[in-house]
Amino acid sequence: MSLTTEFTTADGYKLTLNTGLFINNEFVEGSSTIETINPSTGQVITAVQAAEAKEVDAAVEAAHKAYYGGWKNSCPRERARLMHKLADLVERDIDELAHIETLDNGKPLKDALSFDVPGLAGQLRYFAGCTDKVHGKVIETQGKLSYTIHEPIGVCGGIIPWNFPLAMLSWKIAPALAMSNTVVIKTSELTPLSALKLGSLIVEAGFPPGVINIITGYGHVAGDLLARHMKVSKIAFTGSTAVGRLIMKAAAETNLKKVTLELGGKSPNIVFDDVENLDEAVFWSRLGIYMNAGQVCCAGSRIFVQEGIYDQFIEKFKALAASGTVGNPYDANTIQGPQISERQFERVMGYIESGKEEGATCLLGGNRVGDSGYFIEPTIFTDVTTKMKIMQEEIFGPVVAITKFKDVDEVIAMAHDTDYGLAAAVFTSSLKRAITVSNRLEAGTVWVNCYNQISENVPFGGYKQSGNGRENSVYALDNYTQIKAVKINIGL
């Protein structure tokens, strides 16, 4: 059976797509197959191999063997060299990787070229620099020599979502590799192709077999098996809060493996009337909600505008939202691609109908774009209340609810009227207000006078039901190490 397929994208780019499971540095068959769909057309791209019990176990066994076969005690400089080499190859093949990402996910090609693929290389380079910079401590303990060692955990499982396939993969593998762990990544069944392409670059970079394994499968099958596997010592998951609960339960019911979760969000975007440049606030607010067709966990899906500038903000925001092109992601003018699937399209449209039924005003959009693919107009709701479904639940689509507020205390209360706490934003020209409001907000990230600015050297994660643990930056290394204390009686 051939484990590759040929495909030509809408802009004429010719691709060779890997369709096998990447286990032990080889592409192998699975127990079944899954069709992956082009969300821009609704048509099948190809069928990929799917992992079930046998393949999940094979991937974990390969990672376990590689860990104890030398990777656990590998030289930090050698790990760094391999990670930099892989980053070199990612940058070399940026056009191919970006075209695959756009084909499989639907995001605009210019976004894949400027954010997703460079982000993968950036994560690898940042954490390559961390390999030899994790140090223990010597502790004074009444004449005895006491010290700590930061050791790797072992086999780390990563379960990644479909909205940023390469970026989320990099958030899982880069810190794990830096700290001498081996990895099994379970991709989303909706967007497996770019991660599988990376498998061929992993071999070319020279990583030993079994250090990085990439499998595709359904979450309730392959994901559950990975979360329950007794030889997996840590799981990192990005996705919905509901599935995050299931993963924690699976870990608790098996070997109490370490779990970090980056989950949902309903992030407040707060615009004060002293904002220096309202046009900039409108620009960033549009990016905050409509980036990646609204399929962003930290999307600014609730905008709170101080009453003195509310009407002016609404006018400018509506005009800018209506001006963007929704459609072919290979077109340089496109700012918004499709929803990932027919199911997600119907889910978002259901929220739009809910907003209308509950009495909100659909100021803009709310309709399908075109007659093929899963495109939805940028949608704006006004006249909303905090208890409406569209204000409480994560929509994960190009739908924003905008309301006004009087003062700081009121908007803080409104911002906190949610189960989530992933991100927030504050627009103001007052440094004092920026700091005081940021400090009061219950969110893992607060952007001031910008939105969706994510860097590999800045931690990212959530409060409340948006998860636990942090990804990115040196803070992420805590999730991939365990601390050993040694105390020696030296006879003093």
Side-chain angles (χ1 to χ4, degrees), residues 6-20:
E6 305 292 328
F7 194 94
T8 301
T9 64
D11 63 344
Y13 198 98
K14 297 184 183 300
L15 296 170
T16 299
L17 305 172
N18 294 310
T19 60

Side-chain angles (χ1 to χ4, degrees), residues 34-40 43-46 48-49 100-106 160-165 186-196 215-219 295 339-345 374 396:
I34 298 173
E35 289 184 338
T36 182
I37 306 296
N38 180 350
S40 296
Q43 302 300 309
V44 175
I45 300 169
T46 187
V48 297
Q49 300 296 305
I100 295 173
E101 198 79 325
T102 294
L103 171 67
D104 213 15
N105 171 274
I160 62 175
W162 45 259
N163 56 338
F164 292 96
K186 203 289 287 185
T187 73
S188 168
E189 67 275 12
L190 298 176
T191 54
L193 296 176
S194 58
L196 293 174
I215 59 175
T216 296
Y218 292 111
Q295 300 170 137
Q339 308 314 121
I340 188 64
S341 65
E342 183 176 12
R343 179 181 179 184
Q344 183 64 16
F345 172 88
Y374 311 123
F396 229 59

Side-chain angles (χ1 to χ4, degrees), residues 330-405:
Y330 294 105
D331 186 333
N333 295 317
T334 295
I335 68 162
Q336 183 186 311
Q339 308 314 121
I340 188 64
S341 65
E342 183 176 12
R343 179 181 179 184
Q344 183 64 16
F345 172 88
E346 295 294 345
R347 182 174 183 271
V348 175
M349 293 301 293
Y351 275 108
I352 292 172
E353 289 307 308
S354 170
K356 295 175 181 178
E357 290 170 1
E358 290 190 306
T361 298
C362 187
L363 186 68
L364 180 73
N367 302 303
R368 181 174 195 152
V369 176
D371 55 8
S372 64
Y374 311 123
F375 300 92
I376 298 175
E377 293 174 331
T379 301
I380 300 171
F381 278 102
T382 57
D383 301 315
V384 294
T385 65
T386 58
K387 298 305 179 183
M388 287 181 177
K389 190 175 180 180
I390 59 172
M391 285 287 276
Q392 286 293 320
E393 298 184 15
E394 184 177 40
I395 299 173
F396 229 59
V399 181
V400 65
I402 308 178
T403 191
K404 66 179 69 173
F405 69 92

Side-chain angles (χ1 to χ4, degrees), residues 9-306:
T9 64
D11 63 344
Y13 198 98
K14 297 184 183 300
L15 296 170
T16 299
L17 305 172
N18 294 310
T19 60
L21 305 170
F22 183 71
I23 299 175
N24 212 33
N25 275 18
E26 296 180 343
F27 288 98
V28 300
E29 294 182 21
S31 293
S32 58
T33 60
I34 298 173
E35 289 184 338
T36 182
I37 306 296
N38 180 350
S40 296
T41 64
Q43 302 300 309
V44 175
I45 300 169
T46 187
V48 297
Q49 300 296 305
E52 297 181 11
K54 181 178 70 173
E55 294 80 24
V56 171
D57 194 56
V60 173
E61 289 293 341
H64 190 263
K65 181 178 179 180
Y67 179 74
Y68 287 104
W71 189 256
K72 174 184 178 181
N73 299 311
S74 57
C75 172
R77 290 183 180 178
E78 175 61 9
R79 295 198 302 276
R81 184 191 69 79
L82 290 169
M83 294 172 73
H84 278 299
K85 176 62 176 176
L86 183 56
D88 290 341
L89 297 174
V90 167
E91 290 170 345
R92 181 197 70 187
D93 292 351
I94 184 171
D95 285 340
E96 183 177 9
L97 287 165
H99 273 81
I100 295 173
E101 198 79 325
T102 294
L103 171 67
D104 213 15
N105 171 274
K107 67 182 60 195
L109 178 63
K110 61 185 178 184
D111 292 351
L113 285 167
S114 63
F115 178 79
D116 296 77
V117 185
L120 167 58
Q123 290 280 341
L124 289 166
R125 295 201 189 282
Y126 176 84
F127 284 103
C130 295
T131 57
D132 59 357
K133 297 178 181 65
V134 176
H135 312 292
K137 296 180 180 180
V138 176
I139 306 169
E140 170 56 42
T141 49
Q142 294 78 46
K144 295 179 176 62
L145 175 61
S146 300
Y147 62 91
T148 59
I149 304 171
H150 294 247
E151 295 186 336
I153 294 176
V155 177
C156 295
I159 302 175
I160 62 175
W162 45 259
N163 56 338
F164 292 96
L166 284 177
M168 294 299 97
L169 180 147
S170 72
W171 287 21
K172 306 296 183 280
I173 68 170
L177 296 174
M179 295 297 99
S180 301
N181 300 284
T182 55
V183 185
V184 178
I185 293 291
K186 203 289 287 185
T187 73
S188 168
E189 67 275 12
L190 298 176
T191 54
L193 296 176
S194 58
L196 293 174
K197 166 60 183 177
L198 189 68
S200 61
L201 301 186
I202 289 166
V203 175
E204 187 177 351
F207 279 88
V211 170
I212 308 172
N213 305 273
I214 302 171
I215 59 175
T216 296
Y218 292 111
H220 68 280
V221 179
D224 184 65
L225 289 166
L226 191 61
R228 293 180 179 277
H229 204 290
M230 296 298 289
K231 289 186 177 179
V232 173
S233 299
K234 184 258 163 64
I235 286 284
F237 170 74
T238 297
S240 72
T241 299
V243 176
R245 290 192 182 97
L246 295 176
I247 288 172
M248 290 194 78
K249 181 179 179 182
E253 291 175 345
T254 52
N255 61 348
L256 286 174
K257 56 180 63 66
K258 192 171 187 176
V259 176
T260 54
L261 304 171
E262 194 261 280
L263 306 175
K266 195 67 179 172
S267 300
N269 178 9
I270 303 169
V271 184
F272 286 96
D273 59 9
D274 68 348
V275 66
E276 185 173 0
N277 188 323
L278 186 56
D279 288 335
E280 285 190 4
V282 168
F283 168 83
W284 286 110
S285 296
R286 179 179 74 163
L287 180 70
I289 180 57
Y290 298 130
M291 177 184 178
N292 206 34
Q295 300 170 137
V296 182
C297 53
C298 55
S301 55
R302 296 181 298 150
I303 301 179
F304 301 99
V305 184
Q306 200 158 20

